[in-house]
Structures are given as structure tokens and as C-alpha cells.
Amino acid sequence: MRILIVEDEPTLGKQLKSTLEQNGYAVDLSTDGEDGHFLGSTEEYDAVILDLGLPEIDGLTVLGMWRKEGRKFPVLVLTARDSWSDKVAGLDAGADDYLAKPFQTEELIARLRALIRRASGNTSSELTAGPVRLDTRSGRVTLDGEPVKLTAQEYKLLSYLMHHKGKVVSRTELIEHIYDQDFDRDSNTIEVFVTRIRKKLGADVITTIRGLGYSLDDPDEQPRAN
Amino acid sequence: MRILIVEDEPTLGKQLKSTLEQNGYAVDLSTDGEDGHFLGSTEEYDAVILDLGLPEIDGLTVLGMWRKEGRKFPVLVLTARDSWSDKVAGLDAGADDYLAKPFQTEELIARLRALIRRASGNTSSELTAGPVRLDTRSGRVTLDGEPVKLTAQEYKLLSYLMHHKGKVVSRTELIEHIYDQDFDRDSNTIEVFVTRIRKKLGADVITTIRGLGYSLDDPDEQPRAN
DNA sequence: TCCTCGACGATCAGGATGCGCATGGAGGGG
DNA sequence: CCCCTCCATGCGCATCCTGATCGTCGAGGA
């Protein structure tokens, strides 16, 4: 899952970035509204953390522009404490959730998880597909109840697929959501990790759709094979 | 485990802080409601001890604000008198337990322990993971029944992991819950203590998940990895 | 229907990177 | 005075990426 943080205060921004990265997200950080808006418009994010108190362009304006452009990613707005007007205006502008500064990083992470989960249409923090179960809260994966050890990248890849269960996900889409800005897009790393995951979870977990990408199906919901 | 004490009387506050620290908690002390509220909103606490008779802002108000902001840590309220009205109001405001002044520090610690235990979803004061057993009441750790001597920090670290058994805990999360406010976050102390604990309890007690953090698994519940 | 060929995906092994581990020593507190 | 805590350094290894090779699928023609 890839996150954009738009936060003008460098210290807080960097701290957030590193915390989120430790939690398995790919994170881009922008420190002003204009740059932030550009990133949000051009790159693919699964969620955006947006500070309202930005220099130059206001956070609300940025949010409004995104929504007008049709960007649909969930936005978590950081507002100064007690500003009800901000809250209302933010809702109108299309924010999905709020957090008043100051806040606890754990809560931020929890809300972020919830946002991403909701955005992908899931209701529980546990995602399942056949014998595979992924708990987004504890960050663990089990196969038939047995815990499976995944590396960071393997987890990111599997997590994205499970959040989009049944959908065909192209390789570029995966790259855009698993890695942050600076990454060489011409490589076969995705294939490599797909192979790895198949080795650990079974070959039939991830289906290849030639020329299009990959898809993770739930055999319980789709009894017949292909 | 990290505790916040909000207590206006300096003597009592300091005494509590030192007592709790001797019992293996990381403690922040605040002497007025405003500061206390701020700390509780920004930092990560596993429990809060809140005196109701505060100057400026009342303890109940502070508690109410926290709950309205969505802070979920358990709160142990200290009330000066045997006043029922305080108790009722406190319950409404979201307190989890009570203690009437004057009280025995022993009792305070016992209740605190119970609060933290409940908050982490454990039912017993004894936490076990494989051959390792940790008694939160006596603060003792045994390996295959044999008592093991842990230093204060080693105990704190192990305790936090055991309270969150099975969850992947990032290094920042550990730092936030084991140390109090003023601590340099860029250091490798966590690794050092993990190493120490492994030496004393066996290398397989704590699992490393590269790039994400550590996790303490219970082999009884999860027979084997890979 | 079968064969051929092209294109795409899977797999493997080698190597760079950086994370986490170990260790020793300085500093501080009991 | 001793032990605990913390910081710094160097090292080893898991992890990740790369590039090459092998395998597979499917279209089109005979």
C-alpha cells in the first residue's frame, strides 16, 4: 500500500514517514501544497494524509482540486484541535476521516488501516482467500492456520492483491502501489515475488492472466476453476 | 509499559513515579491538567493515573476530552474523598477504575496491572509463550520453570512483547512504550536488548521480521513456522 | 489437427545493499 | 564500587534486485 503525506512541518513529516514505512507502507512525503497536489494527481496512492495548515496553497484547496479532478483515494485530514469550521469544510471538500493534532501515531495507523480497508470494500481487518488468511492488524499471514513467514516485500504484494481480491491487477499497478516514487519500473521484481509467494502459499493462490496481470481469487466464492 | 501520572501534588506525584519505575514501568509525570491532557493526547501510554482534584482544569474534564478525542488507554482515577458523585461522574466520563485517597501503593500497582492486562486482552496475570513464563504480579520470569534474572529494560521489553503476543511490533512502537518522553529515538538500544533477552531465554523466543519489527510467537498455539 | 513460432511469464543464481547482530567501552545511577 | 544502560563500530547475512535462461501459452498457417 502506498501513502502520500502532505505535511509542511519537516520533523513531523519525516517521523510519520518512517513510522509508516516500518509498518509496511510505501510512503512519499511532500512538504508543500503545490508539490503535494502534483504528486497526488500523477501518482497512484491508496491513501493520503493531508495537513490542512499548509503554506501557499491551503490543504482544503488541494483536496478540493483532487476531488474535482476525480481522484478517489481516501484522504485523512490533520486539523488543528477544536476547529469545527475546518471539519465541516473538510467534509464538504471530500475528506474521509479526521485526526486532530496532536495525535498518537498508533491511532493514525489504525485509522489509515481502516480507511484503506473501507476503500477496498472490506469490512474486517482479516482478509481471507481460500486457505490463506492475512491479518492487517498484526501483520501476519497463515496458510490453513499455519503461520507463514513472509518478507516485507512479499507481504506488501500479497496485501495489495488481497485488498483487491477477484480483480485483475496489472504489473504496473502493483509496482505503483508497492514501491514509492523512485523505483526503476523496468524490472521483473514483481514476477520474482509472485514466484516466492506461490512457493510459500501454493501455486494456485495467485492466478496469472496473460497480457493483463495477476488476480487473486477466492475459491470459496468461485467454486469452478477457470 | 508506559504510564502517565497526572497529579498536582508534587510529593505524591514523584513518589508514585519512582515507585512505578521501580516496578518496571516507564513513567511520565504531569502536575497540571492542561499539560497532562496534552501528553495523553500526543504520547503513547498503556495506562493513565489521573487525580481528579486538579487546579485549572478538572481531572474529569481532562478525561472527558480524551475520550471525546478517542483515546482508549485505561484510566485509573484517584479521588480525594469517598464522594459518590465523583465516582458516578467519573464512570460517565470513561474511567476504568477507582482508588480513594489515601491508598496503599501496593493496591495502586495491583489495580494498574489489572487494567493493563485487561486492556491487552489477557485474562491471567501470568503470560506464557512456549517455555517462557512471565508473572506480572511478582515481576519474575522463568524459563522451563527455572527463574531467569532480567534487568529492568529487558523486563520492560519482554513484557510489552508478551502483552502483544503474536503481533508484529515495530521498533518505534517499542521505543514509545518502553521509554518515557525524553529519549533519543535514533539508537540501536532495542536491538541490544533483544539480543540480551535472546541470550537469556533462547534465540527463538523473539522472531525478527526484517524491515518491520519483532514478534513474539507462542509455539504451543502455532506449532511450526515455514 | 498438428506444428511452428513469437511473446510473455517463470525460474534460477549471482551479487549489492542495507538491516540487524555482536561486542566493547563510556557514562551514570544505585 | 559495581552493574546497568546506552552508544559506536564492524561484520555477517537475509533480502532484494538483476539479467539470463528456460518454460509455456496461444495464434496462425499448412
Side-chain angles (χ1 to χ4, degrees):
Chain A
M1 296 296 139
R2 188 163 161 212
I3 313 291
L4 171 65
I5 303 176
V6 189
E7 164 64 60
D8 60 311
E9 200 197 322
T11 344
L12 178 58
K14 283 182 188 169
Q15 191 219 322
L16 280 180
K17 179 171 156 74
S18 95
T19 307
L20 290 183
E21 279 171 348
Q22 280 199 32
N23 277 269
Y25 295 103
V27 182
D28 290 337
L29 173 60
S30 176
T31 51
D32 73 278
E34 193 165 352
D35 180 51
H37 169 247
F38 177 77
L39 281 177
S41 297
T42 41
E43 304 287 329
E44 301 283 336
Y45 295 105
D46 298 288
V48 174
I49 298 173
L50 177 64
D51 187 2
L52 285 197
L54 293 172
E56 307 296 332
I57 312 183
D58 184 32
L60 276 183
T61 316
V62 174
L63 177 51
M65 289 161 78
W66 279 334
R67 294 314 189 202
K68 220 154 98 185
E69 295 163 11
R71 311 279 136 185
K72 297 214 176 56
F73 42 62
V75 173
L76 173 61
V77 157
L78 302 182
T79 110
R81 162 77 50 72
D82 284 345
S83 64
W84 274 97
S85 54
D86 273 9
K87 276 202 176 178
V88 175
L91 266 176
D92 287 343
D96 299 88
D97 198 0
Y98 286 86
L99 208 49
K101 284 192 193 175
F103 56 83
Q104 302 175 157
T105 48
E106 280 187 10
E107 174 152 17
L108 178 74
I109 291 175
R111 288 184 180 244
L112 202 56
R113 229 170 9 225
L115 271 184
I116 292 173
R117 192 194 338 129
R118 265 184 271 147
S120 69
N122 293 100
T123 52
S124 157
S125 72
E126 290 212 334
L127 305 171
T128 66
V132 180
R133 163 168 291 173
L134 183 147
D135 185 347
T136 56
R137 263 173 46 79
S138 64
R140 326 194 89 241
V141 176
T142 59
L143 173 67
D144 287 323
E146 297 285 316
V148 177
K149 263 178 83 178
L150 294 187
T151 68
Q153 302 294 337
E154 290 164 6
Y155 178 81
K156 285 187 202 173
L157 178 40
L158 179 67
S159 166
Y160 188 82
L161 284 177
M162 294 202 78
H163 273 91
H164 298 83
K165 194 163 62 176
K167 185 194 161 207
V168 177
V169 181
S170 72
R171 210 167 311 114
T172 56
E173 184 178 345
L174 279 172
I175 288 178
E176 279 173 338
H177 285 270
I178 287 174
Y179 295 95
D180 55 22
Q181 251 183 309
D182 18 60
F183 179 76
D184 179 21
R185 273 119 196 277
D186 295 336
S187 84
N188 67 342
T189 41
I190 298 296
E191 279 118 310
V192 172
F193 284 114
V194 168
T195 302
R196 287 244 171 90
I197 294 175
R198 280 181 174 151
K199 258 190 193 153
K200 293 188 178 180
L201 298 179
D204 49 348
V205 174
I206 300 175
T207 314
T208 304
I209 288 96
R210 279 218 148 211
L212 291 179
Y214 298 99
S215 147
L216 193 146
D217 301 324
D218 193 335
D220 298 338
E221 293 173 4
Q222 311 178 343
R224 73 223 146 53
N226 294 346
Chain B
M1 296 296 139
R2 190 166 161 207
I3 313 291
L4 171 64
I5 303 176
V6 189
E7 166 62 62
D8 61 310
E9 200 196 323
T11 346
L12 178 57
K14 284 182 187 167
Q15 188 223 320
L16 279 180
K17 178 171 155 76
S18 94
T19 307
L20 290 182
E21 279 171 349
Q22 282 181 32
N23 276 268
Y25 296 102
V27 182
D28 289 338
L29 174 58
S30 176
T31 51
D32 73 278
E34 192 165 352
D35 180 52
H37 169 247
F38 177 79
L39 281 178
S41 297
T42 31
E43 304 290 328
E44 306 279 342
Y45 294 105
D46 298 288
V48 174
I49 297 172
L50 177 64
D51 188 1
L52 285 196
L54 293 172
E56 307 296 332
I57 311 181
D58 184 32
L60 276 183
T61 315
V62 173
L63 177 52
M65 289 161 76
W66 279 335
R67 294 313 190 203
K68 216 154 101 185
E69 295 162 13
R71 310 285 118 116
K72 299 211 176 58
F73 41 63
V75 173
L76 174 60
V77 157
L78 301 181
T79 106
R81 325 124 255 190
D82 268 324
S83 77
W84 275 98
S85 55
D86 272 8
K87 277 203 176 177
V88 174
L91 266 176
D92 286 344
D96 299 87
D97 199 1
Y98 286 87
L99 209 49
K101 286 191 197 175
F103 55 83
Q104 308 260 15
T105 49
E106 310 255 329
E107 176 157 15
L108 176 75
I109 291 174
R111 289 184 180 248
L112 200 57
R113 224 164 20 219
L115 275 183
I116 292 173
R117 190 198 336 131
R118 265 183 273 148
S120 68
N122 293 98
T123 52
S124 159
S125 69
E126 292 211 333
L127 305 171
T128 65
V132 180
R133 163 167 293 173
L134 184 146
D135 186 348
T136 57
R137 270 170 45 80
S138 62
R140 286 173 196 286
V141 176
T142 59
L143 174 66
D144 289 322
E146 296 287 314
V148 177
K149 255 183 85 180
L150 293 188
T151 69
Q153 297 294 68
E154 289 164 7
Y155 179 81
K156 285 187 206 173
L157 179 39
L158 180 66
S159 167
Y160 188 82
L161 283 177
M162 294 201 77
H163 273 90
H164 298 84
K165 195 163 59 176
K167 187 189 166 215
V168 177
V169 182
S170 72
R171 214 166 304 114
T172 56
E173 185 177 343
L174 279 172
I175 289 178
E176 279 175 337
H177 285 269
I178 287 174
Y179 292 96
D180 53 25
Q181 249 184 312
D182 19 59
F183 181 76
D184 177 21
R185 273 123 191 275
D186 294 335
S187 88
N188 66 343
T189 41
I190 297 295
E191 278 124 303
V192 171
F193 285 114
V194 168
T195 304
R196 289 252 167 80
I197 294 175
R198 280 182 176 149
K199 264 191 189 148
K200 293 187 178 178
L201 298 179
D204 48 347
V205 174
I206 300 174
T207 313
T208 304
I209 290 99
R210 279 219 155 207
L212 290 180
Y214 296 99
S215 149
L216 192 146
D217 302 326
D218 193 336
D220 297 339
E221 294 174 5
Q222 309 171 343
R224 75 212 135 70
N226 293 346

